[in-house]
Amino acid sequence: MHSFGYRANALLTLAITLLALMCAMASFSDNINSPSPSAHVQVLNINWFQKQPNGNDEVSMTMNISADLQSLFTWNTKQVFVFLAAEYETPKNSLNQISLWDGIIPSKEHAKFWIHTSNKYRFIDQGRNLRGKEFNLTMHWHVMPKTGKMSEDKIVMPGYRLPEEYR
Amino acid sequence: MAWILMKALTLGMIIGSALIIWKALMCMSGSESPVVVVVSGSMEPAFKRGDILFLYMSKDPIRAGHILVFNVDGRDIPLVHRVIEVHERQDTGEVDILTKGDSNLLDDRVLYAQDQLWLQRHHIMGRAIGFLPYAGWVTIILTEKPIIKYVLIGALGLLMII
């Protein structure tokens, strides 16, 4: 009952159990945080808006994106992955979500930002539905913990509209 | 004789309980693979090589930003990447999905099968909902240095007999 094997086994089991418990507690502490984020996007310019050779609409735009996500960070936060998606409906699709820009926020200091950028990823429709299309710009964020459960949320900013004609 | 049977029974029970735990996890998560090990660095700094991801598969809609574990035809190792585009059909609710690793420059179209532009639900094994850092290194070492696997099994076998 007191051999090395038994003792090593008991020690290892205890260690793993304690580590798992600490991880669960760390993850649980994230629930206590009540965040109050804010975001704002301004579409400055539609750079171009064309019908591709394969028949799908594509648009390129320049935007000012600003947000304050500092309140999302806790001691157990490793990073926050933030992205801006254009969301709209078409006759064929009840939902289209296209990520236009994304970034990784490594710490609380970087979580309040303002950037001026054109869309990082191509905004291409499945079809030719974008002329005059009303769309939402939704800022999504995923909080990745140092250990435990990931969480996500978003702010929907409605009221954007694409031009009636290609240009 | 009874002694050998005892040893065999003990071994059988250990293997049996491991299987029961794995199958229970499969039931709870709804996925064939409730836990996966991250093997590439394409999702850094969120997930590093050697981290373990907990997966969950449900009928919930797939949305942009979700981290999915999926199979590509012709590849045997599943990929863990983030959804950057979703197109969901009005009538059937089926989806076309485009994914990309956080630290990759390009989206995953180069990784999909020839002529495949989108992923569909049937490619998805599950959605990552939590993770444990460093816990998967044992699996990586066993996979990439198979000699250690044989040494371990040999040692276990010896311990059983002794």
Side-chain angles (χ1 to χ4, degrees):
Chain A
M1 209 53 196
H2 301 292
S3 72
F4 172 75
Y6 279 113
R7 284 176 175 162
N9 178 46
L11 195 63
L12 198 62
T13 312
L14 185 67
I16 292 178
T17 311
L18 280 177
L19 274 173
L21 203 65
M22 290 197 318
C23 164
M25 290 200 303
S27 193
F28 185 73
S29 77
D30 282 342
N31 293 356
I32 300 175
N33 188 35
S34 57
S36 53
S38 64
H40 181 70
V41 178
Q42 193 187 0
V43 177
L44 291 173
N45 185 40
I46 304 289
N47 305 329
W48 45 265
F49 182 14
Q50 280 166 14
K51 183 177 54 176
Q52 296 300 324
N54 62 13
N56 295 328
D57 281 349
E58 181 174 354
V59 61
S60 162
M61 58 178 80
T62 305
M63 305 164 281
N64 278 342
I65 305 174
S66 63
D68 181 359
L69 302 177
Q70 288 187 320
S71 56
L72 296 172
F73 277 81
T74 70
W75 67 279
N76 188 32
T77 305
K78 180 157 77 173
Q79 68 172 43
V80 170
F81 184 87
V82 60
F83 68 98
L84 186 72
E87 301 181 356
Y88 60 96
E89 190 179 341
T90 59
K92 187 169 100 167
N93 294 331
S94 56
L95 175 67
N96 298 281
Q97 281 181 315
I98 301 184
S99 176
L100 298 179
W101 170 86
D102 59 30
I104 290 174
I105 305 176
S107 67
K108 197 166 174 167
E109 291 70 45
H110 295 97
K112 192 167 175 181
F113 62 90
W114 182 97
I115 58 162
H116 172 90
T117 180
S118 59
N119 48 307
K120 193 170 168 187
Y121 304 116
R122 300 174 69 178
F123 187 162
I124 303 178
D125 185 31
Q126 280 189 337
R128 298 195 197 147
N129 305 294
L130 294 184
R131 275 162 295 174
K133 175 60 72 180
E134 282 183 18
F135 63 102
N136 293 342
L137 281 177
T138 308
M139 180 160 298
H140 298 256
W141 55 85
H142 282 59
V143 181
M144 325 213 65
K146 294 200 172 96
T147 179
K149 189 165 176 301
M150 309 191 291
S151 70
E152 61 177 280
D153 208 348
K154 63 186 180 189
I155 291 179
V156 180
M157 292 165 279
Y160 299 89
R161 192 187 174 95
L162 287 172
E164 302 287 341
E165 297 299 325
Y166 295 128
R167 50 167 98 151
Chain B
M1 184 60 194
W3 175 83
I4 296 178
L5 280 177
M6 271 277 291
K7 286 280 178 183
L9 191 63
T10 313
L11 188 61
M13 281 182 62
I14 294 174
I15 295 177
S17 16
L19 260 176
I20 290 175
I21 293 175
W22 185 249
K23 288 289 174 186
L25 273 176
M26 273 172 67
C27 258
M28 283 197 294
S29 75
S31 166
E32 269 183 24
S33 192
V35 176
V36 289
V37 177
V38 177
V39 293
S40 82
S42 57
M43 283 296 285
E44 290 200 16
F47 305 133
K48 297 194 166 42
R49 217 166 109 81
D51 292 347
I52 282 191
L53 289 179
F54 297 103
L55 303 188
Y56 186 66
M57 188 67 187
S58 70
K59 294 264 191 301
D60 292 342
I62 298 173
R63 292 286 174 257
H66 290 178
I67 297 173
L68 301 180
V69 178
F70 55 93
N71 282 307
V72 176
D73 305 323
R75 283 175 176 266
D76 36 48
I77 307 180
L79 290 168
V80 184
H81 284 171
R82 196 184 296 268
V83 176
I84 62 166
E85 242 182 80
V86 169
H87 299 276
E88 185 172 300
R89 297 275 175 277
Q90 293 270 14
D91 39 8
T92 61
E94 280 168 26
V95 277
D96 285 337
I97 293 164
L98 180 62
T99 56
K100 174 183 170 290
D102 285 351
S103 61
N104 289 348
L105 277 175
L106 299 173
D107 61 43
D108 288 346
R109 284 224 168 97
V110 295
L111 297 171
Y112 297 163
Q114 183 93 13
D115 295 332
Q116 182 188 358
L117 292 176
W118 308 100
L119 287 180
Q120 273 87 37
R121 242 185 210 279
H122 65 88
H123 293 109
I124 312 295
M125 283 167 65
R127 186 189 156 195
I129 55 165
F131 88 114
L132 207 53
Y134 309 119
W137 268 112
V138 177
T139 310
I140 291 187
I141 292 172
L142 286 178
T143 313
E144 298 190 358
K145 303 253 183 297
I147 184 97
I148 300 190
K149 193 163 46 174
Y150 300 131
V151 165
L152 263 177
I153 295 188
L156 269 170
L158 268 171
L159 276 172
M160 286 296 121
I161 299 175
I162 290 177

